[in-house]
Amino acid sequence: MKVSPGFLKWAMNIYGPYLGAGVRVKHISADWRKTHVAMPLKWYNKNIMKVHFGGSLYSMVDPHLMLMLMQILGKGYNVWDKSAHIDFIKPGRGTVHADLEISDADLDEIVAQTESGEKYFHKFEVFIRDEQGQVVAKVDKVLYFRKKPEA
């Protein structure tokens, strides 16, 4: 289903889990290639150590690559989240940010690997950074792609 970046930004910002965690989608580019999300540290999203709760850090980036690629590739492709791994590098304090990007190389590889109709798994790296630009967490996301047979 094709939607506008502005509509998805609005919908994500009123989505219950994002409201509850304090996650805000700040920008989605018109070509769906870039998304910027942020999350301030609040009383309701900090852990016992008074830093960002790890689950909230992961939720910041969880759906975006799949949603972006579904819009870029269109109805001719199946796109699913396959797996994820998060490394917590340092405690998250203050507002944390993540930039998710789809490069030309990523798209070229996905299209080439799925041209024959075979499934393909592509790995993306996303870094969550604090206000000083220091890496708080690194997320590895693997997405599943398969070109749908033409009807």
Side-chain angles (χ1 to χ4, degrees), residues 10-110:
W10 172 80
M12 292 301 292
N13 284 332
I14 64 166
Y15 180 52
Y18 267 26
L19 283 174
V23 175
R24 299 294 296 169
V25 177
K26 296 293 195 174
H27 177 75
I28 302 174
S29 66
D31 64 0
W32 292 97
R33 298 286 194 101
K34 296 179 182 181
T35 295
H36 180 79
V37 294
M39 182 175 58
L41 184 62
K42 300 287 186 183
W43 65 268
Y44 52 82
N45 66 5
K46 63 173 77 167
N47 64 21
I48 195 166
M49 302 303 292
K50 300 188 185 326
V51 297
H52 278 287
F53 174 65
S56 296
L57 288 169
Y58 175 70
S59 76
M60 284 178 66
V61 302
D62 179 30
H64 297 291
L65 291 166
M66 185 179 87
L67 294 171
M68 294 161 69
L69 283 153
M70 288 171 68
Q71 296 300 312
I72 293 168
L73 294 170
K75 292 182 180 185
Y77 285 83
N78 288 314
V79 181
W80 291 92
D81 281 323
K82 166 91 170 71
S83 63
H85 176 84
I86 185 167
D87 282 319
F88 300 106
I89 310 298
K90 66 178 273 197
R93 296 182 173 89
T95 299
V96 292
H97 302 266
D99 290 303
L100 298 100
E101 296 189 32
I102 311 295
S103 70
D104 288 338
D106 291 325
L107 285 176
D108 291 346
E109 183 72 13
I110 292 163

Side-chain angles (χ1 to χ4, degrees), residues 80-140:
W80 291 92
D81 281 323
K82 166 91 170 71
S83 63
H85 176 84
I86 185 167
D87 282 319
F88 300 106
I89 310 298
K90 66 178 273 197
R93 296 182 173 89
T95 299
V96 292
H97 302 266
D99 290 303
L100 298 100
E101 296 189 32
I102 311 295
S103 70
D104 288 338
D106 291 325
L107 285 176
D108 291 346
E109 183 72 13
I110 292 163
V111 169
Q113 294 293 329
T114 58
E115 191 60 37
S116 67
E118 293 297 311
K119 66 182 173 185
Y120 171 65
F121 301 108
H122 192 81
K123 180 179 165 186
F124 296 88
E125 290 182 339
V126 181
F127 295 93
I128 300 169
R129 300 178 184 275
D130 63 18
E131 293 165 309
Q132 292 73 44
Q134 301 275 321
V135 175
V136 170
K138 177 183 170 252
V139 178
D140 291 323

